[in-house]
């Protein structure tokens, strides 16, 4: 399209997450609508559906409060838990599926009351807990999991050195992530080949740096 065009959803949209080739829309009633590629389950619509040109509501999810999209995976925070779907090539769904993708939303066994947010970047995911600690999972070749390593993980703790995080800064195609701590400082880890971490050089970081 050369100009914006109205999307056919009657409900009020309160959040949008854009992945590599898919889009998620969260309405005011806690329902999630998806369109775009579902080739590896990133919309959570099951196998055999792809190239969705008009938003379809994800019937398996309700009471969703936030959404996040990586390049080819999607994360949902709902009243009763956190859910995920799509590519798990690098372990970015925080669970061991033997490298197999997930085509409908599955849940993580974690206490929902301990979680502030569940966020995605390119092929990695992060859980921010109420105590300010952060877990990461998925791709880690540039240090984007921030655990002083470059091995992919199903789950690992970000090395925050007793800092308390209040906000995560993410992007769907990013191989870097930012952490805003309660002392109002910003820390970044991961890919830095273009200086995107803002730390004064172009060296990748394997733990949060500023």
């Amino acid at each position: 399209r050369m100009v914006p065009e109205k999307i056919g959803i009657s409900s009020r949209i309160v959040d949008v997450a854009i992945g590599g080739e898919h889009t998620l829309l969260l309405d005011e009633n806690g329902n999630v609508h998806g369109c775009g590629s579902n080739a590896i389950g990133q919309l959570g619509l099951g196998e055999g559906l792809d190239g969705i040109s008009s938003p379809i509501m994800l019937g398996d999810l309700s009471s969703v409060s936030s959404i996040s999209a990586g390049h080819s995976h999607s994360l949902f925070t709902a009243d009763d838990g956190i859910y995920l779907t799509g590519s798990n090539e690098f372990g970015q769904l925080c669970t061991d599926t033997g490298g197999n993708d997930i085509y409908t939303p599955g849940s993580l066994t974690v206490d929902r009351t301990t979680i502030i947010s569940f966020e995605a970047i390119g092929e990695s995911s992060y859980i921010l807990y109420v105590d300010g600690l952060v877990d990461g999972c998925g791709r880690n070749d540039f240090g984007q999991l921030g655990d002083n390593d470059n091995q992919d993980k199903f789950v690992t703790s970000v090395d925050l050195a007793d800092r308390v995080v209040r906000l995560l800064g993410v992007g769907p195609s990013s191989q870097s992530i930012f952490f805003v701590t309660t002392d109002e400082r910003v820390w970044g880890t991961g890919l830095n080949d273009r200086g995107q971490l803002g730390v004064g050089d172009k060296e990748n970081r394997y733990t949060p740096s500023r």
Side-chain angles (χ1 to χ4, degrees), residues 78-81 110-116 129-131:
D79 287 351
D80 62 347
V110 61
D111 184 355
R112 170 67 183 89
T113 63
T114 67
I115 296 171
I116 293 178
Y129 296 95
V130 294
D131 59 5

Side-chain angles (χ1 to χ4, degrees), residues 40 44 47 49 53 65 71 81 84 95 97-98 126 134-135 141 149 152 172 179:
I40 49 180
E47 297 186 62
L49 282 176
S53 58
S65 56
H71 184 272
L84 37 81
T95 187
T97 63
Y126 304 84
V134 181
D135 281 346
D141 53 342
D149 194 5
D152 302 342
F179 309 91

Side-chain angles (χ1 to χ4, degrees), residues 4 6 14 22 52 58 66-67 74 91 95 141 148 165 171 188 191 193:
K6 185 179 183 298
V14 296
H22 70 291
I52 309 301
L58 280 62
S66 69
I67 53 178
S74 301
T95 187
D141 53 342
N148 201 28
V165 175
L191 184 65
D193 62 332

